Amino acid sequence: MSGGEAHRVKVVKVLQSALAGNDAVAESLRRRFRAAGVFVVNVIGSPGAGKTSLIARTIERLRGRARVGVLEGDIAGSLDAERVLEAGAHDAVQINTGGQCHLDASMVEQALHQINLENLDLLLIENVGNLICPTHWDLGEDLTVCLVSAAEGHDKPRKYPEIFAKSDAVVLNKIDLMGLSGFDRPEFVRHVRALTEAPLFEVSCRTGEGVAEWGAWLLRGCEKANTSP
Amino acid sequence: MHELAVAAQLLQLVEAEARKAGARRVLAVHLALGENSHINEGALRFHFERLAGWEGLASGAELRFRREPMRFRCHECDADYAPSVGDWRCPGCGRLGKLVDAGDELRVEDIEVEV
């Protein structure tokens, strides 16, 4: 190299997710959840898909069998936390993102100051209503669940494939409205199956149809978490 | 929509890697960006530039993108293909294949630094 002033240009391999900082916080949360024996589920769905309704139904279904805590992510307000407490949640914390379109791991970490994990078997995290932004942000969950409703239309897997592809279960809500909304079920199922082999639960949070199967599946996950070291 | 949050995380990673490498400044960041990552390149550049500031390690660094498509596999034709948006049928036989890669990568491949 000529001259003492010259600077060298060098290429440094990184090969990490751009969200590595969030992922590290999520990993530390995952260890905390495991240590406390709490099974954690991140519920992702559009506004109006029925995330809070599904959580309320799940709590009612699991009453006496699992102590359920809820983190309610929302832009603002505390309506949802009140609703799930009414449904019998053991504990509920509202996380207001102040406009941010998704929850991140540090918001969950903050919220855990207000909740005693030792008193819970299952922690349901309701993400901000959105099928896009929340997909990238690991919250330390055991499972990601994608919730869509028949009223939204059968094209959701085709429009938002990545959330279906990364989910551990897909829940289709409002099946009681299928006939009214022109929802093409075979088309929906075909496209979901092109993306994932994850279980598909078809429910109506209004009538309660299908909630038993969903609840039983969730409970099996919970029991596994509680028996593993 | 969420590019500001992504840019903040990206900057944190880039600066940490640059410091580790003993860099004086970062010249470029190479990103692999899946077509389904829902990241707008212009918006990410905009926020990254502003967060990097005038005097930071990554000030003036250029973000360069390599787009990665969603990939399917057709088991009839035994072939991989990148489907068109919303129509995932195999170009060979017209059947619906199975997803191989969701194309949602958001990965820093490397950084070009001055040492």
Side-chain angles (χ1 to χ4, degrees):
Chain A
M1 188 171 299
S2 62
E5 292 295 304
H7 302 306
R8 240 164 11 97
V9 173
K10 169 168 133 179
V11 174
V12 181
K13 282 264 169 259
V14 180
L15 296 176
Q16 284 186 59
S17 161
L19 306 183
N22 180 76
D23 294 350
V25 178
E27 265 320 307
S28 77
L29 289 176
R30 194 165 279 119
R31 284 193 294 273
R32 270 176 78 180
F33 294 142
R34 291 259 159 84
V38 183
F39 193 61
V40 183
V41 180
N42 182 4
V43 181
I44 298 177
S46 306
K51 293 182 295 301
T52 316
S53 299
L54 181 70
I55 288 171
R57 280 288 187 183
T58 305
I59 293 165
E60 288 163 8
R61 183 77 211 164
L62 300 186
R63 188 170 294 158
R65 289 182 284 179
R67 297 163 301 171
V68 186
V70 184
L71 301 183
E72 280 290 347
D74 226 328
I75 303 288
S78 62
L79 285 172
D80 290 350
E82 290 160 21
R83 216 174 125 196
V84 298
L85 282 170
E86 257 168 49
H90 211 75
D91 210 343
V93 177
Q94 187 82 38
I95 307 176
N96 287 143
T97 65
Q100 187 163 284
C101 49
H102 59 269
L103 293 179
D104 63 35
S106 60
M107 289 177 183
V108 171
E109 194 176 39
Q110 277 295 316
L112 291 186
H113 292 310
Q114 297 173 61
I115 216 162
N116 186 356
L117 288 178
E118 303 294 333
N119 289 340
L120 300 178
D121 303 304
L122 174 64
L123 180 65
L124 299 173
I125 305 177
E126 178 176 339
N127 220 307
V128 181
N130 189 325
L131 286 175
I132 299 173
C133 312
T135 50
H136 288 300
W137 301 83
D138 186 357
L139 305 179
E141 69 270 26
D142 292 292
L143 299 179
T144 301
V145 171
C146 170
L147 171 69
V148 288
S149 72
E152 289 164 64
H154 50 259
D155 59 353
K156 291 298 157 293
R158 284 165 71 180
K159 292 180 86 167
Y160 307 101
E162 54 296 338
I163 180 60
F164 289 88
K166 79 159 286 199
S167 289
D168 300 291
V170 176
V171 180
L172 174 64
N173 187 23
K174 308 190 190 181
I175 53 171
D176 52 318
L177 299 182
M178 232 182 242
L180 293 172
S181 60
F183 185 88
D184 187 340
R185 186 185 171 278
E187 182 74 357
F188 175 80
V189 173
R190 229 160 58 83
H191 284 91
V192 169
R193 282 292 161 250
L195 296 170
T196 176
E197 294 301 322
L200 170 62
F201 297 97
E202 298 180 54
V203 308
S204 166
C205 289
R206 196 172 67 89
T207 66
E209 191 182 347
V211 174
E213 290 82 358
W214 153 252
W217 181 79
L218 210 51
L219 203 56
R220 281 201 297 277
C222 257
E223 283 161 359
K224 239 188 269 173
N226 285 324
T227 51
S228 61
Chain B
M1 188 173 174
H2 54 312
E3 281 81 356
L4 174 58
V6 173
Q9 289 270 315
L10 175 61
L11 180 66
Q12 183 192 326
L13 174 64
V14 166
E15 288 187 336
E17 291 294 317
R19 270 193 298 274
K20 259 198 271 173
R24 301 165 53 89
R25 65 187 186 111
V26 182
L27 304 173
V29 180
H30 291 114
L31 289 144
L33 196 61
E35 66 174 347
N36 286 323
S37 60
H38 297 290
I39 298 292
N40 179 291
E41 292 179 16
L44 189 62
R45 276 201 183 99
F46 176 88
H47 291 301
F48 186 85
E49 244 172 58
R50 272 145 197 84
L51 292 173
W54 294 106
E55 286 164 358
L57 258 182
S59 175
E62 193 194 335
L63 299 190
R64 294 187 196 139
F65 298 96
R66 184 166 62 77
R67 301 304 297 231
E68 291 192 347
M70 184 185 197
R71 297 206 65 85
F72 272 70
R73 176 149 197 90
C74 175
H75 292 285
E76 301 293 330
C77 302
D78 198 26
D80 277 13
Y81 60 99
S84 50
V85 176
D87 181 0
W88 304 337
R89 285 174 300 181
C90 167
C93 68
R95 286 192 177 85
L96 192 59
K98 293 270 184 198
L99 184 78
V100 181
D101 186 335
D104 59 351
E105 298 79 2
L106 184 55
R107 188 176 60 244
V108 180
E109 307 241 86
D110 53 58
I111 55 175
E112 223 173 272
V113 299
E114 196 178 85
V115 288

